[in-house]
Amino acid sequence: MTVEQFSTRVVIVGGGPVGMGLAIDLGQRGVRCHVIERYPTPQRVPKGQNLTQRTGEHFLAWGVREAIAEARFIPPEVSTGGLTTYGTLLSDYHYGWLSREKVRAFYYTDNDRLPQYQTEAVLRKRVAELESVTCHYGYRVTSVSSQQGRAQVMAITDDGQTIEISGDYAVGCDGSRSVVREAAQISQIRDDHDKKMVLLVFRSTQLVELLKRYPDKSYFNVLNPELGGYWQFFGKVDLGEQFFFHAPVPVDTTEDNYDFHSMLKEIVGADIDVAFDYIGFWDLRIATARTYRAGCLMIAGDAAHSHPPYGGFGINTGFEDVRNLGWKLEAVLGGLAPETLLDTYSLERQPVFKSTADDFIGKMIEDDKNFVSEFDPARDLSAFESAWALRSEGGDKEVFNFEPNYEGSPIVLGGAGGPCSARGAHSYDARPGHHLAPAEWTSGTSMGEALGHGFCLIALDASEAERTIIRTWLADAGYAAKVVHDSYAGTRARWAHRFILVRPDHFVAWVGDQLPEQFESIWRASLGHHALDRASAA
């Protein structure tokens, strides 16, 4: 058997959206990488559809923002909001849910809604434009190992073609049953809910007509009291007749022994025509890897964290993983940062997902379980309606409270110093460890263009002495660093600081109202060279 061999800087195992996102992030930075992906073309199963404004910022950085907008099945002018109903889809008891447009002002792009296979197709096309990225489609990974500090990955096609790729690092973006995670012997924190879930993709003209009563909604979760808090979840794939549906089913359910048509009619609350395009199953569980790195092996996306599709966190969290990791790999491979900088990938991202799982996904399930247990319209209609009204008022609380941040990171200087978490509060203030909210520039430059792909120092009303410090830093930086000068006025004053050091992933590393003469020490600390006392750096 002939084995074709390759050597590269980074091997990406798994070429779904998250793997392709990492390939683009690295490829644009000139970091050579090889992607191994089992499927020659994207699998047409509509999942991972709710894309946040923050994910839109990633798309802008990766040069695919316009292509993603063109790939949408649901036009941008149609709301991507959700709806929660009680009992059946057509229930009189319902309220709006997860309206992400309410936090739009804190980001500089809009959110999107399109099937994962559309997103993946756009990302694949972008990857093909990058000379530093090589893709191997149709290959199944057979082994992953670490030998003398380098990653070794073997893969094979169905007809026996075999490749072996050696890399400084390998990143597993290969799903919840990750080969890379197993090879790295990374264990998981698992919260099994012991539920077998069905995924149905179907077409229905009658359901299209029935849902005209909710003209500004694209997805719907039905709170069925018989399920003890677990959702029955509908979503529009497009503006035509295609829908997807998730729900718990008996553990022995198969495609052939269950009447899914009757199930859908009961959940909708009306008779509807149904033509199935796909029937599949998955296990409902929340699993978090205990670490995202073991030496030269790392994991991202579903390989690092998996959960039920509650709140649309999955694909967005995976994209944030690789946006965090890409610049750190570049800095380490380029000799600008110590290898320990890669440890901050796990130190920042793992607790953020653990918080997502505990404070949002798990809490949703528990809150719904408690509600259906305590309130029943058949038992006490008045008490139920009062409680339902209170739920309606808080239908978007997850949108406002979900604000991933790295306050506890060792490479974040100053700030509140709390733990890295998904729970926070949106704010225009420039806060260390938090995503930087947008503002307008005097030049009219866009926010994404102003910040760029490397470190960026925002300098507002800088004195000549401070400009000298900045020029000295830029001359010695040896990295893609830039400075944006402007006045401390207009919407920029909302940042509440004159100097803001922004990381390549557009999280704030440091803020100050005076620029220290040894500014380079702050920048180097944000690259993991040494720790600074938070109080003295503030």
Side-chain angles (χ1 to χ4, degrees):
M1 178 182 66
T2 301
V3 178
E4 193 173 6
Q5 296 182 324
F6 302 91
S7 179
T8 190
R9 305 311 301 264
V10 180
V11 186
I12 300 172
V13 178
V18 172
M20 286 299 174
L22 179 59
I24 295 169
D25 205 275
L26 292 173
Q28 289 184 160
R29 299 175 186 281
V31 177
R32 289 185 294 108
C33 55
H34 283 236
V35 182
I36 304 173
E37 167 53 34
R38 180 176 181 180
Y39 296 108
T41 59
Q43 301 301 287
R44 292 185 65 84
V45 179
K47 55 183 179 178
Q49 299 199 89
N50 274 317
L51 304 175
T52 64
Q53 289 99 345
R54 174 60 180 160
T55 289
E57 293 180 359
H58 302 327
F59 292 155
L60 188 64
W62 295 337
V64 297
R65 187 75 186 88
E66 292 184 4
I68 288 289
E70 293 173 358
R72 288 180 60 141
F73 290 153
I74 298 177
E77 61 269 18
V78 177
S79 171
T80 58
L83 192 81
T84 294
T85 71
Y86 180 84
T88 67
L89 181 60
L90 304 179
S91 168
D92 290 333
Y93 298 106
H94 56 263
Y95 59 81
W97 173 73
L98 209 63
S99 302
R100 287 199 166 102
E101 60 268 20
K102 294 185 177 180
V103 296
R104 169 64 177 83
F106 299 99
Y107 301 89
Y108 53 87
T109 65
D110 293 314
N111 57 314
D112 277 300
R113 179 174 173 79
L114 68 163
Q116 179 172 306
Y117 55 81
Q118 288 290 95
T119 301
E120 187 177 334
V122 170
L123 298 180
R124 284 191 180 203
K125 185 176 180 180
R126 174 67 179 128
V127 163
E129 299 171 351
L130 300 172
E131 293 183 1
S132 53
V133 181
T134 301
C135 292
H136 306 272
Y137 294 117
Y139 282 84
R140 175 177 54 85
V141 172
T142 56
S143 71
V144 177
S145 63
S146 174
Q147 300 176 22
Q148 297 180 333
R150 285 180 61 83
Q152 305 289 332
V153 181
M154 296 279 292
I156 190 170
T157 63
D158 289 341
D159 60 3
Q161 297 181 54
T162 303
I163 57 174
E164 180 179 19
I165 307 177
S166 171
D168 294 286
Y169 299 97
V171 183
C173 304
D174 51 341
S176 60
R177 298 177 180 175
S178 171
V179 174
V180 177
R181 188 186 66 239
E182 292 299 317
Q185 297 183 330
I186 296 174
S187 62
Q188 294 178 296
I189 305 166
R190 297 170 70 110
D191 184 3
D192 291 340
H193 289 264
D194 296 324
K195 295 290 181 183
K196 182 174 185 176
M197 304 289 288
V198 67
L199 167 59
L200 305 176
V201 182
F202 66 95
R203 286 166 284 116
S204 175
T205 57
Q206 291 173 325
L207 185 56
V208 171
E209 292 301 313
L210 291 170
L211 288 178
K212 287 182 178 179
R213 69 177 64 193
Y214 310 129
D216 61 341
K217 303 301 178 185
S218 298
Y219 52 97
F220 316 85
N221 56 291
V222 179
L223 187 55
N224 187 333
E226 296 181 2
L227 295 180
Y230 294 100
W231 293 350
Q232 296 167 318
F233 189 76
F234 287 89
K236 294 179 180 179
V237 176
D238 50 36
L239 292 185
E241 303 174 356
Q242 194 173 54
F243 299 86
F244 69 87
F245 173 77
H246 292 280
V249 290
V251 68
D252 60 348
T253 301
T254 67
E255 182 176 346
D256 301 319
N257 70 2
Y258 199 84
D259 187 351
F260 295 110
H261 191 170
S262 295
M263 176 187 187
L264 288 172
K265 289 193 295 183
E266 181 179 349
I267 296 167
V268 170
D271 192 9
I272 59 171
D273 62 307
V274 174
F276 292 107
D277 294 327
Y278 175 85
I279 299 174
F281 302 93
W282 53 278
D283 295 324
L284 189 152
R285 67 167 54 95
I286 300 174
T288 312
R290 295 184 185 276
T291 180
Y292 290 5
R293 181 191 182 205
C296 62
L297 304 180
M298 286 167 279
I299 52 177
D302 286 353
H305 42 76
S306 58
H307 59 86
Y310 286 23
F313 297 110
I315 192 171
N316 299 293
T317 301
F319 283 139
E320 195 69 68
D321 289 344
V322 296
R323 187 79 185 280
N324 182 290
L325 179 59
W327 71 269
K328 295 175 180 178
L329 280 168
E330 179 197 17
V332 171
L333 289 169
L336 190 71
E339 189 178 11
T340 51
L341 177 66
L342 296 176
D343 291 334
T344 69
Y345 165 58
S346 184
L347 289 172
E348 291 181 341
R349 295 302 302 154
Q350 197 271 359
V352 165
F353 180 75
K354 191 66 172 63
S355 171
T356 302
D358 295 342
D359 298 334
F360 292 89
I361 301 169
K363 189 174 185 300
M364 287 182 204
I365 296 173
E366 188 65 23
D367 286 351
D368 287 347
K369 177 181 178 180
N370 292 338
F371 179 84
V372 297
S373 175
E374 185 174 354
F375 300 102
D376 183 346
R379 186 173 63 237
D380 188 335
L381 180 60
S382 177
F384 170 83
E385 290 185 335
S386 295
W388 188 259
L390 288 175
R391 285 177 64 95
S392 302
E393 293 174 3
D396 288 319
K397 61 183 179 181
E398 291 90 355
V399 172
F400 294 105
N401 295 336
F402 184 72
E403 192 260 333
N405 62 84
Y406 308 137
E407 282 193 0
S409 171
I411 57 172
V412 168
L413 312 177
C420 299
S421 174
R423 179 172 290 280
H426 288 83
S427 173
Y428 291 114
D429 288 357
R431 299 164 294 166
H434 292 258
H435 168 266
L436 183 66
E440 296 175 350
W441 303 100
T442 302
S443 64
T445 303
S446 69
M447 190 72 181
E449 182 181 356
L451 295 180
H453 296 287
F455 276 87
C456 178
L457 176 64
I458 296 172
L460 304 179
D461 286 342
S463 67
E464 183 54 40
E466 289 166 332
R467 288 174 181 260
T468 299
I469 293 171
I470 292 170
R471 286 192 289 269
T472 300
W473 166 59
L474 285 176
D476 297 336
Y479 184 73
K482 64 183 297 188
V483 177
V484 179
H485 287 281
D486 213 321
S487 61
Y488 186 59
T491 55
R492 295 177 299 282
R494 297 187 306 195
W495 286 329
H497 295 282
R498 291 178 55 235
F499 297 99
I500 306 165
L501 181 63
V502 186
R503 305 184 338 179
D505 57 0
H506 297 176
F507 276 75
V508 176
W510 169 86
V511 299
D513 293 316
Q514 303 293 327
L515 195 65
E517 289 189 16
Q518 300 301 319
F519 175 72
E520 182 184 357
S521 65
I522 290 175
W523 174 68
R524 285 177 58 81
S526 69
L527 282 165
H529 282 283
H530 56 83
L532 288 182
D533 178 77
R534 291 180 183 277
S536 64

